[in-house]
Amino acid sequence: MANPMASEHLAELMSKAQVWLSQDPDNHTRTQLESLVTQAPNDPAALAELTDAFIAPLEFGTAGLRGKLGAGPNRMNRVVVIQTAAGLAQYLIDTGHSGESVVIGYDGRHNSDVFARDSAAVLAGAGLIPLLFEHVVPTPVLAFAIRELNTCAGIMVTASHNPPQDNGYKVYLGDGRQIVTPADEQIAQCIRAITDVTAVPRSDVCHEVPSFVMDRYVSSLSSAIHSGPTRSEERSDVVSVYTAMHGVGWATLREAFVACDFKEPIAVIAQRDPDPDFPTVAFPNPEEKGALDLAIAQANDSHAEVLIANDPDADRLAVALPIGNGGWKTLHGDQVGCLLAWWVLERANRSGVILDGVFGSSVVSSMLLERIAQDANLKYSQTLTGFKWISRVPGLVYGYEEALGYCVNPEFVGDKDGISAATFILEMMAALKSEGRTPWDVLDDLARKYGLHSSAQVSVKVSDMSLVPQIMGRLRSSPPQTLGRFAVSQIVDLQTPDSGLPPTDGVILHLAGDSDILRARVIVRPSGTEPKIKCYLEVVSALQDVADAEVSNEAALLELSKDSQPLLLI
């Protein structure tokens, strides 16, 4: 006997699918959906896929949209993009920007160019002036273009370092920064009001982004480097290997390096050019295990002194350094972040520049940056996770987040920028090489001065996102008294106003130290981009000997990792 509820569910799905098919301008996703509709009554897998595709619309938030490509409101496709562009256009008109320009960029993922052109047509149909890049561009170039062209907004079609089957849609306003609340909800309301994309006005009137935008972006980097403390012959003496991770960073980074008088980086050819299938990596994220294997092999063959990697849209930067006997070690994001902080200060001192401003980092990044800033008589600001917050720090001169995001040129780019950060890394390498030193020496100096800061992460994938409030609620109501051998000395609930930050879902557990560990910290928060709950662990050594401190910190992090895991489980 047929299940009435199952039959009703199937009938509702079929009705939604037919409405969708009547609006979808894309032959590929229409065919895909028609196939699911045909198979769903007799194929559980097809029914599950159809159910998921229509379970709810992709949620537009401060990170814009990001999701799997395919048909349905819970996927990235032309219908969703047209709705989103129309909602954004209405928001811009409602906030006084009728007739103004919006710049649009896109990466090399599947359909990124199509989504960009659809967005341009919708904006033009609404009376705005779309400025569309004629080729793929890194995300930081799009952020730069907003300020350079004085547009009222910017759109970047990218899913950053997500899997190949995903795409996404980032929105910036006229300040060149990603949106924050309440703009995200106001735009989302406008998007929800678009129920029939066939009624959305469109126009073919579109303008290309002037070529001088890329020239001026590169010039902003070369001007910074040429005004710094290194000589051209020093900069050209550093051998680097670079991987674009099948993304869009190579052409821009190469041009920037040449303009800065760096030796042209040796590219990992198999990963140099955009490829939406990311064929040589399991996951196109430089942080993932194995992602840099080809680059490390190239670095050994080329006797390189540094390996640099961008993620596919080139807003993040990974750095690896040789450790002898053909071995390489990838630096943690906090290590790169603090090396860059040291170099921002050092290059100013060497150039006779008095640095005035603020260092900023996200709450889950290392506590070391605050110590470095205080020691340099600079202010420090801690923000929520994400560059949409870091970039808004008043007077920012340098900011970073541990997830490989760095902003060394905030005057020009109001977002993380993996290309400008790479130029600063190479400049630092050149200066150190001229003195017979390496970044390892600087990291050791920082450890001896401030105590070795070591970080790690523990994360658990959550199959049912409804479990997240339960897990976080249990942590708040029954927090641990100890983690590892360390007593919990203070608990900060980031949802409360007295945390000093805008309310967000997260808990900080400050831990008392002992004879080896000066202090420690565990932060628990749901991921903002993935179905995960994460623990960010950090310990600060009380030991002066760096080798001893490394052993002690590693043992402490292992203890904390083991005891933190149960906090993330139901």
Side-chain angles (χ1 to χ4, degrees):
M1 182 176 177
N3 183 332
M5 291 185 65
S7 299
E8 184 178 336
H9 169 64
L10 181 60
E12 183 182 2
L13 273 179
M14 294 300 182
S15 175
K16 290 179 179 178
Q18 291 304 322
V19 172
W20 189 272
L21 286 167
S22 70
Q23 299 186 48
D24 194 347
D26 190 306
N27 289 331
H28 177 74
T29 48
R30 265 205 323 274
T31 301
Q32 179 190 67
L33 183 54
E34 286 168 349
S35 176
L36 285 175
V37 166
T38 301
Q39 297 173 47
N42 303 303
D43 183 343
L47 178 59
E49 175 67 18
L50 188 63
T51 299
D52 188 63
F54 283 86
I55 194 167
L58 283 179
E59 185 176 345
F60 183 91
T62 55
L65 295 172
R66 199 174 292 186
K68 182 180 174 182
L69 288 162
N74 195 33
R75 300 286 186 265
M76 281 296 297
N77 51 64
R78 293 183 66 188
V79 174
V80 166
V81 166
I82 291 168
Q83 287 174 326
T84 303
L88 174 61
Q90 189 60 55
Y91 167 82
L92 293 173
I93 292 167
D94 291 347
T95 51
H97 298 289
S98 296
E100 295 185 23
S101 299
V102 179
V103 62
I104 306 167
Y106 57 94
D107 68 6
R109 285 178 176 267
H110 290 294
N111 268 14
S112 287
D113 57 338
V114 176
F115 295 161
R117 288 195 295 271
D118 278 341
S119 298
V122 170
L123 294 172
L128 295 157
I129 303 171
L131 304 174
L132 179 64
F133 277 95
E134 61 179 344
H135 50 71
V136 296
V137 292
T139 292
V141 174
L142 181 280
F144 173 85
I146 295 168
R147 293 179 177 178
E148 185 64 29
L149 298 173
N150 194 30
T151 66
C152 69
I155 296 167
M156 182 68 196
V157 183
T158 179
S160 190
H161 52 274
N162 272 39
Q165 63 269 24
D166 288 3
N167 212 325
Y169 200 89
K170 289 183 181 179
V171 173
Y172 299 74
L173 294 183
D175 59 0
R177 301 180 177 100
Q178 291 187 57
I179 56 172
V180 294
T181 301
D184 60 329
E185 180 52 35
Q186 292 166 352
I187 295 170
Q189 287 177 359
C190 292
I191 293 170
R192 288 192 288 269
I194 309 298
T195 57
D196 182 0
V197 300
T198 63
V200 173
R202 275 164 268 188
S203 169
D204 292 333
V205 177
C206 185
H207 305 271
E208 287 185 3
V209 173
S211 60
F212 68 71
V213 169
M214 184 65 77
D215 296 339
R216 290 179 184 175
Y217 171 77
V218 170
S219 178
S220 73
L221 306 185
S222 64
S223 295
I225 298 301
H226 283 290
S227 65
T230 57
R231 301 190 307 274
S232 176
E233 56 268 29
E234 292 171 340
R235 295 195 293 274
S236 64
D237 194 38
V238 178
V239 179
S240 63
V241 159
Y242 172 74
T243 174
M245 205 65 63
H246 298 294
V248 298
W250 165 249
T252 306
L253 181 131
R254 178 187 176 278
E255 187 176 347
F257 272 35
V258 170
C260 293
D261 297 332
F262 296 124
K263 188 190 298 288
E264 181 174 316
I266 300 164
V268 179
I269 298 299
Q271 299 175 334
R272 185 188 67 184
D273 300 321
D275 187 328
D277 295 319
F278 305 102
T280 68
V281 291
F283 202 81
N285 182 348
E287 293 179 289
E288 291 291 321
K289 184 176 176 61
L292 297 181
D293 286 354
L294 285 179
I296 288 171
Q298 179 70 69
N300 279 325
D301 289 345
S302 306
H303 305 289
E305 296 156 277
V306 61
L307 185 163
I308 50 178
N310 287 136
D311 69 339
D313 69 327
D315 63 350
R316 299 173 192 262
L317 174 73
V319 178
L321 297 171
I323 54 176
N325 298 319
W328 286 75
K329 185 173 182 180
T330 303
L331 299 184
H332 189 280
D334 283 321
Q335 290 177 304
V336 177
C338 291
L339 277 173
L340 283 169
W342 172 82
W343 180 242
V344 166
L345 294 169
E346 184 69 13
R347 74 190 302 273
N349 290 336
R350 295 185 184 199
S351 302
V353 175
I354 298 175
L355 203 60
D356 182 30
V358 183
F359 277 9
S361 63
S362 63
V363 65
V364 297
S365 300
S366 176
M367 296 180 280
L368 178 55
L369 186 66
E370 183 174 10
R371 296 289 310 282
I372 293 172
Q374 290 172 344
D375 203 39
N377 294 316
L378 292 177
K379 294 178 181 177
Y380 168 77
S381 180
Q382 186 179 76
T383 75
L384 295 180
T385 303
F387 252 87
K388 57 184 173 284
W389 300 109
I390 297 171
S391 65
R392 283 179 163 77
V393 170
L396 184 73
V397 293
Y398 170 69
Y400 93 93
E401 61 181 359
E402 52 77 39
L404 308 187
Y406 316 99
C407 181
V408 299
N409 208 10
E411 178 185 354
F412 295 98
V413 177
D415 201 358
K416 55 187 175 290
D417 183 349
I419 294 174
S420 64
T423 64
F424 270 50
I425 288 291
L426 263 288
E427 183 189 40
M428 178 188 70
M429 293 287 302
L432 291 172
K433 184 177 181 179
S434 71
E435 301 165 352
R437 284 162 40 90
T438 74
W440 295 122
D441 297 312
V442 176
L443 289 170
D444 286 350
D445 290 345
L446 292 173
R448 282 186 284 267
K449 187 171 186 178
Y450 302 110
L452 179 65
H453 289 60
S454 301
S455 305
Q457 266 192 46
V458 177
S459 64
V460 171
K461 286 189 175 181
V462 182
S463 57
D464 182 356
M465 290 301 289
S466 67
L467 297 176
V468 171
Q470 296 180 45
I471 295 169
M472 296 302 296
R474 184 191 61 195
L475 177 61
R476 290 184 170 95
S477 61
S478 303
Q481 300 300 304
T482 60
L483 285 172
R485 65 181 188 268
F486 307 107
V488 176
S489 59
Q490 183 187 10
I491 300 172
V492 178
D493 186 348
L494 295 176
Q495 277 191 336
T496 62
D498 56 1
S499 71
L501 295 169
T504 190
D505 194 5
V507 175
I508 303 176
L509 305 171
H510 290 284
L511 310 177
D514 59 16
S515 58
D516 290 345
I517 301 299
L518 195 63
R519 60 186 179 278
R521 184 183 71 176
V522 173
I523 301 176
V524 184
R525 62 177 287 271
S527 170
T529 57
E530 302 171 280
K532 289 181 178 180
I533 296 185
K534 295 183 176 182
C535 268
Y536 299 82
L537 317 175
E538 184 173 18
V539 296
V540 183
S541 179
L543 305 178
Q544 188 67 15
D545 183 87
V546 176
D548 290 344
E550 287 175 346
V551 173
S552 172
N553 281 12
E554 184 176 352
L557 286 173
L558 283 173
E559 286 184 51
L560 291 178
S561 296
K562 181 180 178 181
D563 270 19
S564 296
Q565 191 87 14
L567 300 178
L568 311 182
L569 303 173
I570 283 291

